[in-house]
PDB file of all heavy atoms in Angstrom:
ATOM      1  N   ILE B 334      13.186   3.531  33.184  1.00  0.00           N
ATOM      2  CA  ILE B 334      12.850   4.868  33.677  1.00  0.00           C
ATOM      3  C   ILE B 334      14.088   5.761  33.786  1.00  0.00           C
ATOM      4  O   ILE B 334      14.008   6.982  33.666  1.00  0.00           O
ATOM      5  CB  ILE B 334      12.093   4.784  35.030  1.00  0.00           C
ATOM      6  CG1 ILE B 334      11.536   6.133  35.479  1.00  0.00           C
ATOM      7  CG2 ILE B 334      12.952   4.171  36.116  1.00  0.00           C
ATOM      8  CD1 ILE B 334      10.347   6.592  34.763  1.00  0.00           C
ATOM      9  N   GLN B 339      12.389  13.209  31.072  1.00  0.00           N
ATOM     10  CA  GLN B 339      11.342  14.053  31.645  1.00  0.00           C
ATOM     11  C   GLN B 339      10.946  13.587  33.063  1.00  0.00           C
ATOM     12  O   GLN B 339      10.338  14.332  33.821  1.00  0.00           O
ATOM     13  CB  GLN B 339      10.101  14.086  30.734  1.00  0.00           C
ATOM     14  CG  GLN B 339       9.070  13.011  31.026  1.00  0.00           C
ATOM     15  CD  GLN B 339       8.023  12.831  29.974  1.00  0.00           C
ATOM     16  OE1 GLN B 339       8.121  11.924  29.165  1.00  0.00           O
ATOM     17  NE2 GLN B 339       7.017  13.675  29.955  1.00  0.00           N
ATOM     18  N   CYS B 340      11.262  12.322  33.400  1.00  0.00           N
ATOM     19  CA  CYS B 340      10.810  11.760  34.680  1.00  0.00           C
ATOM     20  C   CYS B 340      11.865  11.860  35.778  1.00  0.00           C
ATOM     21  O   CYS B 340      11.575  11.547  36.937  1.00  0.00           O
ATOM     22  CB  CYS B 340      10.430  10.288  34.499  1.00  0.00           C
ATOM     23  SG  CYS B 340       9.252  10.013  33.170  1.00  0.00           S
ATOM     24  N   CYS B 343      10.828  13.651  38.977  1.00  0.00           N
ATOM     25  CA  CYS B 343       9.402  13.582  39.305  1.00  0.00           C
ATOM     26  C   CYS B 343       9.180  12.844  40.622  1.00  0.00           C
ATOM     27  O   CYS B 343       9.726  11.763  40.838  1.00  0.00           O
ATOM     28  CB  CYS B 343       8.672  12.856  38.181  1.00  0.00           C
ATOM     29  SG  CYS B 343       6.958  12.539  38.571  1.00  0.00           S
ATOM     30  N   ALA B 345       6.591  11.301  41.499  1.00  0.00           N
ATOM     31  CA  ALA B 345       5.740  10.117  41.324  1.00  0.00           C
ATOM     32  C   ALA B 345       6.431   9.030  40.497  1.00  0.00           C
ATOM     33  O   ALA B 345       5.823   8.012  40.162  1.00  0.00           O
ATOM     34  CB  ALA B 345       4.437  10.512  40.643  1.00  0.00           C
ATOM     35  N   LYS B 346       7.708   9.264  40.211  1.00  0.00           N
ATOM     36  CA  LYS B 346       8.452   8.390  39.295  1.00  0.00           C
ATOM     37  C   LYS B 346       8.372   6.902  39.625  1.00  0.00           C
ATOM     38  O   LYS B 346       8.114   6.067  38.759  1.00  0.00           O
ATOM     39  CB  LYS B 346       9.898   8.866  39.355  1.00  0.00           C
ATOM     40  CG  LYS B 346      10.926   8.068  38.672  1.00  0.00           C
ATOM     41  CD  LYS B 346      12.225   8.818  38.897  1.00  0.00           C
ATOM     42  CE  LYS B 346      13.421   8.016  38.524  1.00  0.00           C
ATOM     43  NZ  LYS B 346      14.653   8.792  38.750  1.00  0.00           N
ATOM     44  N   CYS B 349       4.735   5.663  38.820  1.00  0.00           N
ATOM     45  CA  CYS B 349       4.298   5.775  37.426  1.00  0.00           C
ATOM     46  C   CYS B 349       5.245   5.052  36.467  1.00  0.00           C
ATOM     47  O   CYS B 349       4.790   4.417  35.512  1.00  0.00           O
ATOM     48  CB  CYS B 349       4.199   7.251  37.060  1.00  0.00           C
ATOM     49  SG  CYS B 349       3.976   7.579  35.321  1.00  0.00           S
ATOM     50  N   MET B 350       6.520   5.172  36.723  1.00  0.00           N
ATOM     51  CA  MET B 350       7.562   4.568  35.899  1.00  0.00           C
ATOM     52  C   MET B 350       7.454   4.982  34.421  1.00  0.00           C
ATOM     53  O   MET B 350       7.754   4.206  33.517  1.00  0.00           O
ATOM     54  CB  MET B 350       7.530   3.042  36.009  1.00  0.00           C
ATOM     55  CG  MET B 350       7.701   2.506  37.416  1.00  0.00           C
ATOM     56  SD  MET B 350       9.298   2.921  38.133  1.00  0.00           S
ATOM     57  CE  MET B 350      10.383   1.810  37.275  1.00  0.00           C
ATOM     58  N   GLY B 351       7.002   6.215  34.205  1.00  0.00           N
ATOM     59  CA  GLY B 351       6.976   6.724  32.828  1.00  0.00           C
ATOM     60  C   GLY B 351       5.822   6.213  32.002  1.00  0.00           C
ATOM     61  O   GLY B 351       5.794   6.368  30.788  1.00  0.00           O
ATOM     62  N   ASP B 352       4.845   5.582  32.661  1.00  0.00           N
ATOM     63  CA  ASP B 352       3.605   5.116  32.024  1.00  0.00           C
ATOM     64  C   ASP B 352       3.837   4.039  30.965  1.00  0.00           C
ATOM     65  O   ASP B 352       4.931   3.507  30.804  1.00  0.00           O
ATOM     66  CB  ASP B 352       2.807   6.297  31.442  1.00  0.00           C
ATOM     67  CG  ASP B 352       1.342   5.931  31.284  1.00  0.00           C
ATOM     68  OD1 ASP B 352       0.755   5.412  32.249  1.00  0.00           O
ATOM     69  OD2 ASP B 352       0.782   6.131  30.193  1.00  0.00           O
ATOM     70  N   THR B 367       6.509  10.540  27.621  1.00  0.00           N
ATOM     71  CA  THR B 367       5.074  10.495  27.948  1.00  0.00           C
ATOM     72  C   THR B 367       4.426  11.815  27.557  1.00  0.00           C
ATOM     73  O   THR B 367       5.037  12.878  27.726  1.00  0.00           O
ATOM     74  CB  THR B 367       4.904  10.253  29.467  1.00  0.00           C
ATOM     75  OG1 THR B 367       5.701   9.130  29.832  1.00  0.00           O
ATOM     76  CG2 THR B 367       3.461   9.966  29.828  1.00  0.00           C
ATOM     77  N   CYS B 372       0.954  12.542  31.625  1.00  0.00           N
ATOM     78  CA  CYS B 372       1.841  12.834  32.764  1.00  0.00           C
ATOM     79  C   CYS B 372       1.074  13.594  33.847  1.00  0.00           C
ATOM     80  O   CYS B 372       1.135  13.255  35.039  1.00  0.00           O
ATOM     81  CB  CYS B 372       3.035  13.637  32.241  1.00  0.00           C
ATOM     82  SG  CYS B 372       4.139  14.210  33.509  1.00  0.00           S
ATOM     83  N   LYS B 375      -1.381  11.286  35.545  1.00  0.00           N
ATOM     84  CA  LYS B 375      -0.748  10.317  36.439  1.00  0.00           C
ATOM     85  C   LYS B 375      -0.437  10.942  37.801  1.00  0.00           C
ATOM     86  O   LYS B 375      -0.673  10.342  38.837  1.00  0.00           O
ATOM     87  CB  LYS B 375       0.551   9.771  35.819  1.00  0.00           C
ATOM     88  CG  LYS B 375       0.381   8.985  34.549  1.00  0.00           C
ATOM     89  CD  LYS B 375      -0.446   7.753  34.703  1.00  0.00           C
ATOM     90  CE  LYS B 375       0.281   6.619  35.300  1.00  0.00           C
ATOM     91  NZ  LYS B 375      -0.283   5.311  34.969  1.00  0.00           N
ATOM     92  N   LYS B 376       0.096  12.162  37.775  1.00  0.00           N
ATOM     93  CA  LYS B 376       0.427  12.808  39.056  1.00  0.00           C
ATOM     94  C   LYS B 376      -0.833  13.031  39.882  1.00  0.00           C
ATOM     95  O   LYS B 376      -0.846  12.806  41.095  1.00  0.00           O
ATOM     96  CB  LYS B 376       1.154  14.124  38.814  1.00  0.00           C
ATOM     97  CG  LYS B 376       2.593  13.926  38.373  1.00  0.00           C
ATOM     98  CD  LYS B 376       3.243  15.259  38.083  1.00  0.00           C
ATOM     99  CE  LYS B 376       4.599  15.054  37.448  1.00  0.00           C
ATOM    100  NZ  LYS B 376       4.872  16.025  36.390  1.00  0.00           N
TER     101      LYS B 376
HETATM  102  S1  SF4 Q 401       4.146  11.438  36.223  1.00  0.00           S
HETATM  103 FE1  SF4 Q 401       5.091  12.165  34.309  1.00  0.00          FE
HETATM  104  S2  SF4 Q 401       7.191  12.813  34.875  1.00  0.00           S
HETATM  105 FE2  SF4 Q 401       6.353  11.525  36.543  1.00  0.00          FE
HETATM  106  S3  SF4 Q 401       7.097   9.466  36.085  1.00  0.00           S
HETATM  107 FE3  SF4 Q 401       5.034   9.668  35.193  1.00  0.00          FE
HETATM  108  S4  SF4 Q 401       5.364  10.333  33.072  1.00  0.00           S
HETATM  109 FE4  SF4 Q 401       7.291  10.667  34.196  1.00  0.00          FE
END
Side-chain angles (χ1 to χ4, degrees):
Chain B
I334 189 75
Q339 90 193 100
C340 307
C343 173
K346 172 179 168 180
C349 169
M350 302 297 285
D352 202 49
T367 309
C372 175
K375 296 298 281 204
K376 286 177 189 141

